[in-house]
Amino acid sequence: MREVAVIGIGQTKVDEHWDKSLRELAGIAALSAIQDAGLNQVDALYVGNMMSGSANHQQQLGAYIADWVGLRYAESFKLESACSSGSSAFRTALMAVASGSIDSAVAVGVEKMTDSPGSEITAELATAADSDWEVSQGVSFVALNALIMRRYMFEYGWQKSDFAPFSMNAHANAVHNPFARFRKPITEKQYLEAGMVSDPINLMDASAVGDGSAAIVVVPLEKLSFTKSHPIIKIIGSASATDSIAIHDRKDPLWLKAAEISSKKAYAQAGISPKDIDLFELHDAFSIMAALSLEASGFIERGKGPTLGLNGEIRPDGKIPIATRGGLKARGHPVGATGMYQLVEVVQQLRHTAEGSQVEGAKIGMAQNIGGSGSNIVTHILERVN
Ligand code: COA
C-alpha cells in the first residue's frame, strides 16, 4: 500500500443555506479543496451524505456532484454510514489512492438539513437508529442520547454542571472559526439555563441541525514535492468499526466499543499511543458523546470523562484539546459533512493556520466520527511531515 497525503482542503460555513442547493454546497467545498491542492482535476470524487434521498429528494450524488464540479466521466459515488458518512468517504478516498487504483481523489461531505421542518428532520435522523426496536417506540436521537447521559450521571455520580466545560470550550473556540455556525462564547450560567430538549440534554448539550459541506484532496505521498507551499500532512492511521445498531443490544451502553476498536487500530497503524496526540476532533453531537469518546479512545479512564473538561485539559492549551474550531456543538453538525469538517480542522491545526485556537506546535491530530448511537465509528490520525 502507498502512503497517502492530504494536499487540499475546502469548506463552507455551517449555516441555514436556503439559497444554495446540495450540489452548490458540495461544489464550493470540493472546488476550494482542488484549488487549494493546486490541481485542475482529480481521478475520483467520493461523497459522504446521510439523508439526501429523504431531505432533498436527490440520490445519485456521485454523478450529481461530479458533473457540477467539472468531473464528468470521473469515478464518483456516495457513501452512507449515518453521521459518520463524511469519514467513510474520506476512508474510501484514502483506500483507493493507497491501493494504487487511482492517483488522486477528493472526498466531500455534504448535508442540507434546514429545508425540512423540525419534525421531519428529527424523524429522518432517527433512521440511523434501529427502526424495529428503537424508533418504533417513538424515540428520537436526542432522546436516545438523553437516556445514555442520564444513566452515565447515575452510574458515575456526575451532576449536570460537570458537562458545562464541553459546551463552553466548543463555543469559545468557534468564536475564531469563520466557518462555524455559533460564534458566541457561553457562560456556565447560560449552559445551565438553556431550554431543555430531552432531559437531561438541553440546547447547550446538543448540536443543532444545519447545512454545510467540507472536502479534502488526497494523493500518494511519493508524488509530492516537499517544497510545495503547504506543509505536508500524511495519514498515518485509519480504521472503522461497527457495533450493534440498537443501544439495548450492548452489554455496556456506556462504552463506545467501536470507538475503542477503531482508535486502537489507528494507534497501532501509526505506532503511537493516546499521549502522542496533540489534538482530538471528537464527535460532540451531545456533550455525553464527548465524555464517552475520550474514555473509549484511551484519554481517560472509564466514567471520568468530565474530569478533563473540569480541569481545563480540553482547551487549546490543555493536555488533550478537543473541538478546537467549535466542534459539532458550535461549528455545527450537518451530519454527512461533519467527518470532513473534523478532518479539515485537523489539517488546519497541523498546518498551524487555526488562528485564535491554534494548538501550539501541533504535529499529530486525530479525528473521530460517530454514526448512529456509537454503531459506526471511523477514526483517523494525521501527521505533519515537514
Ligand atoms: N445551540 C445553540 N443555539 C441553538 C442550537 C444549539 N444546539 N439549536 C438552535 N439554536 C438556536 C438557533 O440559532 C435559533 O436562534 P435564533 O432564534 O436566534 O435564530 C434558536 O436556537 C431556535 O432554533 P431552532 O432551529 O428553531 O431550534 P429547534 O428548537 O427547532 O431545534 C434542537 C433545536 C437542538 C432540538 C435541534 O437542532 C436538534 O434536534 N438537534 C439534534 C440534531 C441531532 O440529533 N443530530 C444528530 C446527532 S448524532
Side-chain angles (χ1 to χ4, degrees):
M1 292 290 237
R2 302 188 290 187
E3 291 192 298
V4 178
V6 168
I7 58 161
I9 56 174
Q11 59 185 319
T12 71
K13 185 179 192 310
V14 179
D15 216 331
E16 296 185 10
H17 286 291
W18 293 343
D19 60 335
K20 290 187 184 60
S21 69
L22 198 64
R23 74 176 131 204
E24 286 174 304
L25 281 175
I28 292 167
L31 289 172
S32 311
I34 293 170
Q35 188 177 33
D36 185 49
L39 302 176
N40 293 322
Q41 58 160 46
V42 288
D43 292 343
L45 180 146
Y46 302 108
V47 186
N49 170 270
M50 176 181 168
M51 299 182 296
S52 70
S54 51
N56 316 106
H57 307 287
Q58 180 68 60
Q59 291 287 19
Q60 273 273 45
L61 294 196
Y64 173 77
I65 296 168
D67 189 31
W68 180 252
V69 300
L71 292 173
R72 188 182 293 184
Y73 310 122
E75 170 177 295
S76 187
F77 49 84
K78 160 175 160 172
L79 288 302
E80 188 278 312
S81 57
C83 300
S84 65
S85 301
S87 294
S88 294
F90 183 74
R91 190 166 147 71
T92 304
L94 162 67
M95 291 190 294
V97 171
S99 72
S101 168
I102 56 170
D103 274 338
S104 60
V106 60
V108 54
V110 63
E111 202 77 59
K112 191 155 173 17
M113 304 166 80
T114 69
D115 290 349
S116 308
S119 57
E120 279 179 25
I121 206 74
T122 298
E124 287 166 29
L125 284 166
T127 60
D130 187 317
S131 73
D132 293 337
W133 295 102
E134 293 180 320
V135 186
S136 57
Q137 307 301 317
V139 75
S140 71
F141 236 81
V142 188
L144 283 170
N145 281 272
L147 291 170
I148 297 174
M149 184 167 174
R150 171 65 70 207
R151 184 78 202 174
Y152 184 88
M153 290 164 74
F154 170 78
E155 287 286 345
Y156 300 116
W158 294 107
Q159 302 300 310
K160 170 84 180 151
S161 56
D162 297 326
F163 293 84
F166 290 124
S167 191
M168 290 164 65
N169 170 64
H171 275 267
N173 292 338
V175 169
H176 307 289
N177 180 2
F179 299 99
R181 173 104 187 261
F182 300 117
R183 300 184 65 193
K184 284 190 196 145
I186 60 158
T187 60
E188 184 178 356
K189 186 168 184 290
Q190 283 171 310
Y191 169 82
L192 289 171
E193 291 177 358
M196 194 53 77
V197 182
S198 179
D199 194 4
I201 289 181
N202 70 21
L203 202 60
M204 291 303 146
D205 288 301
S207 55
V209 301
D211 310 330
S213 180
I216 288 186
V217 174
V218 291
V219 296
L221 186 69
E222 69 204 21
K223 302 229 162 164
L224 277 187
S225 139
F226 278 73
T227 55
K228 238 188 126 291
S229 52
H230 297 305
I232 290 173
I233 312 293
K234 191 167 73 159
I235 303 156
I236 57 171
S238 171
S240 175
T242 53
D243 199 343
S244 68
I245 187 163
I247 297 170
H248 61 252
D249 280 334
R250 297 179 199 159
K251 278 207 175 90
D252 182 354
L254 300 182
W255 188 252
L256 296 175
K257 188 74 186 166
E260 180 194 343
I261 294 170
S262 66
S263 59
K264 275 186 177 160
K265 279 189 184 167
Y267 294 139
Q269 289 164 11
I272 61 169
S273 70
K275 67 173 176 13
D276 300 308
I277 302 289
D278 295 317
L279 70 131
F280 181 26
E281 289 304 331
L282 49 61
H283 194 95
D284 55 333
F286 302 99
S287 45
I288 180 64
M289 280 297 137
L292 296 184
S293 296
L294 284 163
E295 293 170 19
S297 305
F299 293 102
I300 191 151
E301 62 216 78
R302 180 187 291 259
K304 297 259 170 69
T307 317
L308 289 171
L310 293 166
N311 292 344
E313 303 288 13
I314 59 171
R315 296 198 296 248
D317 59 351
K319 201 167 73 183
I320 181 64
I322 64 170
T324 67
R325 304 300 280 162
L328 281 61
K329 172 65 199 74
R331 173 242 297 127
H333 183 26
V335 289
T338 289
M340 292 306 304
Y341 277 99
Q342 295 175 307
L343 287 156
V344 162
E345 290 160 359
V346 169
V347 173
Q348 288 180 323
Q349 286 286 358
L350 300 184
R351 285 181 177 179
H352 301 169
T353 58
E355 227 167 279
S357 58
Q358 178 65 48
V359 174
E360 217 185 311
K363 190 165 165 51
I364 299 181
M366 180 157 114
Q368 187 174 79
N369 195 193
I370 303 183
S373 323
S375 53
N376 204 329
I377 303 188
V378 190
T379 305
H380 284 101
I381 303 175
L382 277 56
E383 180 182 32
R384 178 181 171 133
V385 177
N386 58 340

